[in-house]
Amino acid sequence: VVRLLDRTPVAELGPDGAEVARWPCATGGAGHPWLAESDLIVASPAIPPRAWPDQHPPVTCPEGLFFAHHRGPRLAVTGTKGKSTTARIAGALLGWPVAGNSYEPLLDLYRRLGPDTPVVCELSSFQLWYLRAQRPSFAAAILTTLGRDHLDWHPDVAHYEASKLALFAWARVTVTAPALVSRLPAEARPLAPVLCVDGSFRAADGSVLAARADLGLLGDHNADNAGLAIAAALHLGTEPDQVRERLRTVRPLPHRLQTVHRAGTLAFIDDSIATTPESAMAGLAAVSGPLAVILGGSDKGATWEGLAAAVVRRGAIAVTMGTTGPAIAEAVRAAGGQPSEAEDLDVAIAFAGAALRGSGTVLLSPACASFDRFRGFEHRGDCFASAAAALFPAGIAP
């Protein structure tokens, strides 16, 4: 018997609610008596560990059901930032579908393509925490970065890192940056990444696999992530002479250093996916020329000194907003900058565009989650694009 329990009343769940209305449904949380009566709880990974009482039936996430039944080869991709783009690059190199986390749910992929399809799995720390008892196996796994994030969900940094790093004991081989190899579990088997040197991706023997220009994504961090994906793909069967053409098929994901509007010589780049200081710093480094960066949002327990120093070193104009805006502005001032503080995104865009005097780039790279004022980073990015077009019409000098 399947029961649906949600804090949101079923009548407000839209099409999903209509689909499951044939099941017993109730409104409630982790203390609801139904849970104690269940043999298995399938939980949204967004529910943090603290939500569960000490004694409860076995809990998994939807991805756990996928891994229990899927039989095809699997490549896992995780990391603090860069996992979605790296998964996309790996999928293009291998010719495999990509699912999980920010992509199509793995169970939907299973229903659509069956149990034997190969798949690139993007996995978050939330999902990996729920999978820790199951320990699904992977032909290979990629770790992109390991920073400080999601301390509104994890109780501390050690818990966050342990949730991520457990994956690499379940994979036959691991690809990550040389600086992170020492962080891997003792059981991990690291492979050397492909490096981008002097504008070329080079194999271990020094042969050129592709040019940096074959990857149409901004930023050195994306070249690094592509090197990880190339190494994993070569290990899993991609031929070296296929790398160049397949890299050329990769397009930027929405809200990841995506140019969304131009007004004369003023460009607006949406990097709303940048929800940590480290990812915002990568965005700062990826954009050349005069720059104004919009920072701030909801608080996930980050610190701002490193980001503030990077803003000042870059010579960027900082405009802050949101719940964390005052703290970021104070950090920028302490680093020697002169930030502007805006009460909302529209005002921030207006401040940033005016400060550039009609030439340069307005970059939305907030370094924070969006839930103080938006439904998610996608909604925030869409609002940025719409407001930029409204405030600075194309063809009209700002």
Side-chain angles (χ1 to χ4, degrees):
V1 176
V2 175
R3 293 168 165 177
L4 175 70
L5 182 66
D6 200 295
R7 287 195 182 279
T8 304
V10 173
E12 298 177 15
L13 291 178
D16 291 335
E19 182 179 348
V20 301
R22 64 185 181 277
W23 301 338
C25 302
T27 302
H32 195 282
W34 274 5
L35 298 181
E37 300 168 8
S38 300
D39 298 314
L40 176 69
I41 301 167
V42 182
S44 164
I47 298 173
R50 64 180 178 273
W52 304 108
D54 291 338
Q55 300 298 320
H56 56 72
V59 179
T60 189
C61 57
E63 293 73 22
L65 301 182
F66 170 85
F67 291 122
H69 297 281
H70 179 253
R71 301 189 295 257
R74 304 190 288 254
L75 167 64
V77 182
T78 196
T80 303
K81 300 309 295 183
K83 55 187 176 292
S84 299
T85 296
T86 305
R88 170 171 277 203
I89 297 170
L93 291 166
L94 288 163
W96 293 5
V98 182
N101 198 37
S102 60
Y103 288 90
E104 175 184 20
L106 285 161
L107 282 176
D108 286 0
L109 179 101
Y110 183 94
R111 181 169 56 181
R112 187 167 59 84
L113 297 179
D116 298 309
T117 186
V119 60
V120 177
C121 306
E122 186 200 347
L123 297 171
S124 71
S125 62
F126 304 172
Q127 293 164 330
L128 290 168
W129 184 85
Y130 277 103
L131 294 170
R132 69 199 187 286
Q134 186 177 353
R135 295 171 60 92
S137 63
F138 297 89
I142 295 173
L143 174 64
T144 57
T145 55
L146 189 63
R148 176 188 177 98
D149 199 12
H150 295 303
L151 297 186
D152 52 345
W153 194 97
H154 295 277
D156 51 43
V157 172
H159 188 276
Y160 168 73
E161 291 182 351
S163 298
K164 289 278 193 192
L165 293 172
L167 164 67
F168 303 99
W170 316 336
R172 295 192 190 106
V173 297
T174 295
V175 186
T176 191
L180 293 178
V181 169
S182 64
R183 308 294 302 277
L184 298 174
E187 307 96 309
R189 294 179 53 208
L191 286 178
V194 168
L195 301 178
C196 187
V197 180
D198 296 330
S200 297
F201 292 102
R202 296 180 181 270
D205 62 5
S207 60
V208 174
L209 297 164
R212 172 63 179 89
D214 291 321
L215 178 69
L217 304 178
L218 294 173
D220 291 344
H221 63 294
N222 278 323
D224 293 341
N225 290 335
L228 303 179
I230 292 169
L234 292 173
H235 177 77
L236 295 174
T238 298
E239 296 295 333
D241 60 4
Q242 295 175 313
V243 171
R244 185 185 305 271
E245 289 304 319
R246 293 187 177 185
L247 272 187
R248 289 175 176 172
T249 68
V250 177
R251 298 290 178 268
L253 286 163
H255 314 296
R256 293 157 174 86
L257 290 173
Q258 178 188 22
T259 301
V260 293
H261 181 62
R262 292 186 183 274
T265 55
L266 194 61
F268 295 82
I269 295 181
D270 170 10
D271 193 31
S272 185
I273 188 65
T275 58
T276 67
E278 294 80 5
S279 55
M281 289 159 67
L284 289 169
V287 179
S288 59
L291 177 64
V293 60
I294 298 174
L295 303 165
S298 56
D299 193 354
K300 296 193 292 178
T303 57
W304 310 117
E305 291 79 9
L307 173 62
V311 169
V312 174
R313 281 196 308 270
R314 173 62 179 78
I317 299 163
V319 182
T320 65
M321 64 175 191
T323 302
T324 60
I328 297 173
E330 180 57 33
V332 172
R333 278 190 286 270
Q338 295 181 317
S340 297
E341 297 184 61
E343 57 265 31
D344 59 33
L345 180 58
D346 286 16
V347 174
I349 294 168
F351 282 0
L356 288 170
R357 301 176 185 270
S359 181
T361 301
V362 176
L363 172 66
L364 174 69
S365 198
C368 303
S370 56
F371 296 115
D372 54 344
R373 301 187 183 185
F374 302 95
R375 294 191 297 273
F377 74 86
E378 301 95 339
H379 180 218
R380 176 171 61 189
D382 291 342
C383 291
F384 172 75
S386 298
L391 290 166
F392 298 93
I396 299 177

